[in-house]
Amino acid sequence: MLKQKTKTSAVILALLAAGFYAINTPFSKVLLNNVTPTFIAAFLYLGAGLGVGIMYLFHIKKEKKSERLTKQDLPYTIGMIGLDIAAPIFLMIGIKMGTASNASLLGNFEIVATALMALLFFKEKVSRKLWIAIGFITLSSIVLSFEGSDSFQFSIGSFFVILATCCWGLENNCTRKMSDKSTYEIVLLKGIFSGGGSFTIALLLGEKIPEIKYIAEVMLLGFVSYGLSIFLYIRAQRDLGAAKTSSFYAVAPFVGSFLAFAVNGEKLALEYFIGLALMLLGTVFVVYDTMVKHHLHEHTHTIVHTHNGVTHTHVISHEHEHKHFGNEERHNHKHEDYINSQEHKLAHANGL
């Protein structure tokens, strides 16, 4: 029961993380009118780092020394920060060149990227149902990446969004390797160093520093959509793993797309509805794969019988598939059958 509660809590955390992240795309689209893509990426992460850093001040005395990051975590920390510098810059460029609703749905390609990299580089198991979900999400991403059903001209904006999701897919796996460590410390490092890196790049590119009021708005958005989202995401990863936690981000694009219509006033295109339907199918498989576990259940039958005054024992093992909703348990059943029938004795005597 404890394991079931833990998994349910992890799923709730993953969904909340997705919900917080969903507000990023439509509101960033508005802020991009006054802030350049690289600076908005910088201040989003700086807002996340500063906000969670303040939270950390109230928690640091309760934190165990074993939870702190060590030298062994350094390669994953560097990878995490580097990818977090690149990903939001690519995303902001993609949003600026395309639509917020399209970018929101294309964000689900992060699930594909995370699962593939979890399998190829980190040897995390990916189930058949999750592969089916990945197939639907990939197909949806292809549909959403082309401008118009007639011309099939590839959207450069969509390309940058997908590039961002690939960066975040690898970053998710780097973060997963440290998810048992201090969540506060991880988000603080992500925010300050990733934001600082993007800020430096923006200065090198000669981008104009935005007004204070816009900086404050971007940082507030960053605290909610990046800081709180990442914080909850890492906590969920502890119990669900990188691939499954990322898969629950399939909820975020639906929320983000709705906000894109409400906030940005974007119109619905046919490609959007097709992509949405495919994304929904993929989401169904993701949720089913996470909450319903299948495993082979072994039964051992011990058959004891007497033949010519001598007791014979036969042990037969076979397996059944069992389904458990939300919790996986493995156990053996031992069945003993005492067979003394005349028919069985006769069959045994005849070598049958």
Side-chain angles (χ1 to χ4, degrees), residues 77-99:
T77 304
I78 293 173
M80 174 187 74
I81 291 171
L83 292 162
D84 276 334
I85 292 173
I89 294 175
F90 291 145
L91 178 63
M92 292 305 129
I93 293 173
I95 293 172
K96 191 172 183 66
M97 297 178 70
T99 65

Side-chain angles (χ1 to χ4, degrees), residues 130-190:
L130 192 53
W131 280 123
I132 294 173
I134 287 169
F136 280 118
I137 293 166
T138 303
L139 186 58
S140 174
S141 299
I142 292 172
V143 170
L144 291 166
S145 297
F146 289 88
E147 297 177 333
S149 56
D150 297 326
S151 62
F152 275 92
Q153 180 182 355
F154 188 76
S155 166
I156 301 300
S158 294
F159 169 76
F160 276 103
V161 174
I162 290 177
L163 192 58
T165 62
C166 289
C167 289
W168 268 317
L170 183 55
E171 185 271 338
N172 287 336
N173 283 283
C174 289
T175 305
R176 171 69 180 96
K177 301 298 289 186
M178 303 181 293
S179 61
D180 290 333
K181 297 300 180 68
S182 171
T183 311
Y184 294 93
E185 195 172 0
I186 292 171
V187 181
L188 179 62
L189 288 173
K190 270 176 176 278

